[in-house]
Amino acid sequence: MFTPSSLSIALLMMITSAVCWGSWANTYKGVKGYRFELFYWDYAVGIFVVSLLLAFTMGSTGNDSSSFLNNVHAADTSNIVNALIGGALFNLANLLLVAAIDMAGLAVAFPISIGIALVVGTVLSYVLQPKGNALFLALGVACALIAVLLDGKAYGSLAAAGRSVSRKSVITCVVSGTLMGLWAPFMTHAMTRGNTLGPYSAAVFLTLGALLSCFIWNIYFMKHPLVGEPVSFSGFFSGPVSGHVLGLFGGFIWGVGTVFNLVAASFTGVAISYAIGQSAPMVAALWGILAWKEFANSGPRAKAYLGLMFVFYGLAIFLVARANG
């Protein structure tokens, strides 16, 4: 099983994770006229398939107890269940995040939702696995929370520029972020208690839980959508080929980021790896602002709030990374 041999390699994997987590949603933004509930089926398949591919390659180097299949056989059933539950929670949170992106855009939905997830997930993960400097972690979490508030202020200031602002989208982001922060503690338990899951095994069961839970969460949102009219499975089969391809590709991007994050956590601890990976909102916000022009003609106040948001997220990343020292 491949694992990082130094902090520099672990940090590189965590940064890659952040880029992947902050970039996958571009695949949905690139699909025109295709509902996210239908797009999401391909995405869920993509995250599971890529985790399996990495488990049978990077996770199976050497035939020792840590290799993927040997680790699955040796792991406690309770840890497998914890990973499946973590995947189901992540999936519900991620569905709400995609709905919020649909309503408010990348530059708003990601920083608010994932910023809240950073706070919740980092604190709970540290309680379960107290690894790293608690003071720096606390300061980093505080900076992330300030960044969330600043991004909310930037979004609210769009109303003064005559742009539509949805309170429903902000509420959706808050609920998404709270749920998103809850899957990390389940993964921490699965990877640190008893006969543990290794990072590759944990990723496979996390993504399997996400895929299986689509038959609950996604079917519900197809019948009771947050945006638009209900949709049926016929729309999936008649959907554009580009929608299916981009859905799978988006899942591949997120899946690579997740596996890398969990593998890096085997070196740094879940709290550190999760927190740095959750700097993804900076990446997503840059995509939203520069590529998709979500704050074009928004006025100086919104741009000032966004600038400060980036500063505080940058501080949060620095402090959480410093916590490992």
Side-chain angles (χ1 to χ4, degrees):
M1 178 181 74
F2 171 81
T3 55
S5 56
S6 66
L7 179 59
S8 59
I9 295 175
L11 282 173
L12 180 60
M13 295 185 78
M14 288 184 283
I15 291 168
T16 301
S17 169
V19 172
C20 289
W21 280 353
S23 299
W24 73 264
N26 286 298
T27 57
Y28 174 63
K29 293 281 285 187
V31 178
K32 303 298 182 184
Y34 192 50
R35 291 285 293 272
F36 81 83
E37 298 92 344
L38 303 178
F39 168 92
Y40 203 85
W41 288 105
D42 290 303
Y43 169 81
V45 170
I47 65 175
F48 178 60
V49 169
V50 77
S51 69
L52 274 180
L53 289 173
L54 292 174
F56 280 110
T57 52
M58 293 173 64
S60 299
T61 56
N63 189 27
D64 55 19
S65 61
S66 66
S67 66
F68 170 56
L69 290 178
N70 290 337
N71 177 241
V72 171
H73 289 148
D76 291 339
T77 302
S78 61
N79 285 331
I80 294 175
V81 171
N82 270 304
L84 290 169
I85 293 172
L89 285 172
F90 154 77
N91 205 38
L92 177 56
N94 207 47
L95 274 163
L96 292 171
L97 172 61
V98 179
I101 291 170
D102 208 22
M103 290 185 275
L106 275 171
V108 172
F110 250 91
I112 293 177
S113 178
I114 308 303
I116 292 171
L118 188 153
V119 174
V120 175
T122 301
V123 170
L124 293 180
S125 294
Y126 186 82
V127 170
L128 288 172
Q129 188 191 24
K131 190 172 182 179
N133 186 295
L135 175 61
F136 284 123
L137 275 177
L139 291 173
V141 164
C143 286
L145 189 56
I146 293 171
V148 169
L149 297 174
L150 288 166
D151 194 65
K153 294 287 286 183
Y155 183 53
S157 67
L158 289 178
R163 303 270 294 277
S164 61
V165 174
S166 168
R167 179 171 294 184
K168 181 180 180 180
S169 66
V170 175
I171 294 172
T172 303
C173 288
V174 172
V175 176
S176 168
T178 302
L179 291 170
M180 191 73 77
L182 295 179
W183 71 265
F186 282 94
M187 297 304 292
T188 302
H189 190 284
M191 296 174 70
T192 60
R193 298 290 193 273
N195 294 315
T196 61
L197 286 174
Y200 298 95
S201 307
V204 167
F205 287 109
L206 171 75
T207 55
L208 177 60
L211 177 59
L212 293 176
S213 68
C214 275
F215 292 93
I216 301 173
W217 311 136
N218 204 21
I219 288 177
Y220 174 83
F221 285 117
M222 288 173 69
K223 295 179 179 179
H224 307 281
L226 292 171
V227 180
E229 298 298 321
V231 293
S232 66
F233 276 107
S234 61
F236 175 81
F237 295 108
S238 62
V241 173
S242 61
H244 296 300
V245 172
L246 287 171
L248 288 169
F249 186 49
F252 270 59
I253 294 171
W254 187 90
V256 168
T258 300
V259 172
F260 276 29
N261 191 269
L262 294 174
V263 171
S266 66
F267 186 91
T268 64
V270 177
I272 304 292
S273 183
Y274 177 82
I276 292 179
Q278 294 298 65
S279 64
M282 294 183 67
V283 179
L286 285 171
W287 281 113
I289 294 167
L290 300 178
W292 302 104
K293 310 298 182 184
E294 292 171 353
F295 276 82
N297 303 317
S298 59
R301 178 175 295 183
K303 292 173 181 176
Y305 284 135
L306 286 172
L308 288 171
M309 182 269 290
F310 280 113
V311 169
F312 276 95
Y313 258 123
L315 285 172
I317 296 166
F318 170 77
L319 289 166
V320 171
R322 183 68 178 81
N324 196 54

